């Protein structure tokens, strides 16, 4: 009998401060930066995003999302034997945000580490947790995507600062004889490091290089639409399924136009795509678990359905996870 890893609970959390495009445009205008609700909606589909208060860290958002996922799964922090946090905005250089979250949760003792694959982080983390559960190295994992991207945005660069938001999403993944994760497919191509990056680092007590996000939006757009279709097809092939078997596509929520293009290529109507980018913006590694939790709690995504998760982002990284809920 195959040992699967199954999602038994989902949770998410958004910091309370919500900025519509109008709110953000008014704030940027004070810096002499011009943008508009119309431009942002037309190019990205984003209407609003949430920003965390200055004292709130990724582990704080992760904690709230994790508590909800644990409650939905009907388990206690002590029942968890693995915590993986996907984040590009960790609390500290080290230790990992996963260790900080573990202590805040009171799940001390279990394995805990971060995965850094930017906006593909959650599909990478889920794939690692799946492999550890299938191998017997873990039985019940907490897999989290959590970001405070507002900390690394350049609010003098209107081409990037209107796109991102803060938030966290989490799942509990348990060993099961019942099908859960069916297949996954991960890739990276480091020659594209420069098209989406935060090039700075901490060295000798100082920040060396630029600590704010840089992006070549058009290069990212072109790469993303190509690789997302390939990853979807590869994952379906591995599971012996086709486009027609997908009940829900839950892609990384970066831009509605990228999502529409992926859906078209997979011959899926937008009715089968969970969309939260309009309300959350791009929350990087948090976007997929936030959208998954939204889908589950809104009653769209139901037990037994087949769901394709897809991530793409800096690195360049991309990947997909196909699963039964
Ligand atoms: C970023 C993105 C929305 C820009 O859209 P675009 O259609 O490529 O727009 P361009 O960069 O060509 O800019 C078009 C014009 O809008 C202007 N513009 C850029 N940002 C603007 C903003 N926030 N408000 C108003 N105008 C803006 C540009 O200055 C440019 O003006 P110009 O023609 O006078 O030079 C788009 O490239 C994109 O979505 N890329 C993918 C980004 C992404 O998803 N990244 C995360 C992946 S994980």
């Amino acid at each position: 009998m195959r040992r699967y890893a199954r999602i038994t609970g989902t949770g998410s959390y958004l910091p309370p401060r919500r900025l519509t495009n109008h709110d953000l445009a008014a704030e940027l205008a004070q810096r002499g930066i011009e943008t508009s609700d119309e431009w942002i909606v037309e190019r990205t589909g984003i209407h609003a995003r949430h920003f965390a208060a200055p004292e709130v860290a990724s582990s704080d958002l992760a904690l709230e999302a994790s508590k909800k996922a644990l409650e939905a799964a009907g388990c206690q922090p002590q029942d968890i034997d693995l915590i993986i946090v996907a984040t590009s905005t960790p609390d500290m250089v080290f230790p990992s945000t996963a260790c900080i979250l573990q202590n805040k949760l009171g799940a001390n003792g279990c394995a805990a580490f971060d995965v850094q694959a930017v906006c593909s982080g959650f599909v990478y983390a889920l794939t690692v947790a799946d492999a550890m559960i299938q191998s017997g190295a873990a039985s019940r994992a907490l897999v989290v995507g959590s970001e405070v991207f507002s900390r690394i945005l350049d609010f003098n660069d209107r081409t990037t600062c209107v796109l991102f938001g803060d938030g966290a999403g989490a799942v509990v993944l348990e060993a099961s004889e019942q099908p859960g994760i069916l297949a996954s497919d991960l890739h990276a191509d480091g020659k594209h490091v420069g098209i989406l990056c935060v090039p700075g680092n901490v060295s000798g007590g100082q920040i060396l290089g630029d600590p704010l996000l840089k992006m070549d939006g058009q290069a990212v757009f072109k790469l993303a639409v190509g690789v997302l279709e390939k990853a979807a097809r590869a994952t379906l092939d591995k599971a012996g399924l086709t486009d027609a078997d997908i009940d829900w596509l839950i892609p990384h929520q970066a831009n509605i136009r990228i999502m529409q293009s992926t859906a078209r290529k997979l011959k899926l109507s937008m009715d089968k795509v969970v969309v939260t980018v309009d309300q959350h913006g791009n929350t990087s590694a948090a976007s997929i678990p936030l959208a998954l939790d939204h889908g589950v709690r809104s009653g769209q995504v139901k037990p037994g359905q087949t769901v394709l998760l897809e991530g793409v982002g800096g690195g360049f990284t991309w990947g997909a996870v196909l699963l039964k809920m």
Side-chain angles (χ1 to χ4, degrees):
M1 178 83 57
R2 179 172 163 185
R3 182 176 157 104
Y4 287 98
R6 239 187 98 232
I7 292 178
T8 54
T10 66
S12 62
Y13 180 74
L14 291 161
R17 184 167 174 243
R18 177 177 182 269
L19 279 94
T20 64
N21 292 341
H22 293 289
D23 299 332
L24 185 60
E27 283 197 9
L28 294 177
Q30 289 175 7
R31 295 169 175 260
I33 306 292
E34 200 188 316
T35 189
S36 65
D37 175 60
E38 198 186 3
W39 191 95
I40 301 170
V41 171
E42 191 198 311
R43 305 286 173 127
T44 71
I46 297 167
H47 291 263
R49 77 285 294 139
H50 292 246
F51 285 159
E55 67 281 5
V56 172
S58 279
S59 65
D60 297 313
L61 304 182
L63 176 65
E64 298 308 319
S66 299
K67 283 186 198 161
K68 292 183 189 168
L70 288 166
E71 191 188 346
C75 60
Q76 301 298 318
Q78 302 77 11
D79 302 330
I80 296 294
D81 58 9
L82 169 68
I83 297 177
I84 308 181
V85 175
T87 186
S88 297
T89 46
D91 292 21
M92 302 181 189
V93 171
F94 72 78
S96 67
T97 302
C99 285
I100 299 168
L101 171 65
Q102 186 215 51
N103 189 47
K104 286 182 177 173
L105 270 175
N108 306 60
C110 71
F113 60 93
D114 286 0
V115 160
Q116 158 59 293
V118 201
C119 302
S120 309
F122 188 75
V123 291
Y124 265 71
L126 205 54
T127 302
V128 172
D130 174 40
M132 288 181 71
I133 287 177
Q134 283 195 54
S135 74
S139 300
R140 193 179 282 118
L142 179 65
V143 185
V144 188
S146 188
E147 302 281 14
V148 283
F149 252 56
S150 58
R151 308 284 155 75
I152 52 168
L153 296 179
D154 180 353
F155 286 98
N156 291 312
D157 176 8
R158 66 178 182 174
T159 68
T160 54
C161 71
V162 300
L163 305 176
F164 296 89
D166 301 340
V171 301
V172 174
L173 197 65
E174 296 191 42
S176 172
E177 290 178 356
Q178 229 180 299
I181 293 178
L182 304 173
S184 58
D185 186 59
L186 300 180
H187 297 274
D189 186 348
K191 77 168 172 282
H192 301 295
V193 160
I195 64 170
L196 179 49
C197 57
V198 178
N201 71 70
V202 178
S203 177
Q206 292 183 320
I207 296 167
L208 277 196
D210 193 331
L212 300 176
L213 186 147
K214 304 277 165 258
M215 180 173 72
D216 176 345
Q218 289 184 2
V220 168
F221 196 104
K222 272 186 218 140
L223 263 173
V225 291
V227 297
L228 285 172
E229 185 194 4
K230 279 192 204 147
R233 299 231 172 272
T235 313
L236 287 164
D237 282 352
K238 285 183 195 177
L241 299 179
T242 70
D243 308 352
D245 296 306
I246 300 173
D247 292 307
W248 288 102
L249 173 66
I250 307 187
H252 170 48
Q253 311 277 321
N255 182 315
I256 194 72
R257 293 187 297 149
I258 297 177
M259 294 161 67
Q260 287 162 339
S261 157
T262 308
R264 242 188 333 269
K265 289 183 175 174
L266 297 175
K267 298 186 216 71
L268 291 176
S269 91
M270 283 305 283
D271 299 347
K272 290 193 163 191
V273 184
V274 176
V275 176
T276 52
V277 69
D278 55 336
Q279 296 304 319
H280 302 171
N282 179 348
T283 57
S284 193
S287 94
I288 295 171
L290 264 163
L292 174 63
D293 186 51
H294 173 80
V296 168
R297 286 176 195 261
S298 66
Q300 292 175 287
V301 177
K302 297 186 181 66
Q305 287 189 320
T306 303
V307 176
L308 183 67
L309 310 179
E310 282 210 287
V312 61
F316 213 67
T317 54
W318 65 96
V321 175
L322 186 69
L323 56 91
K324 283 255 181 242
M325 286 301 290

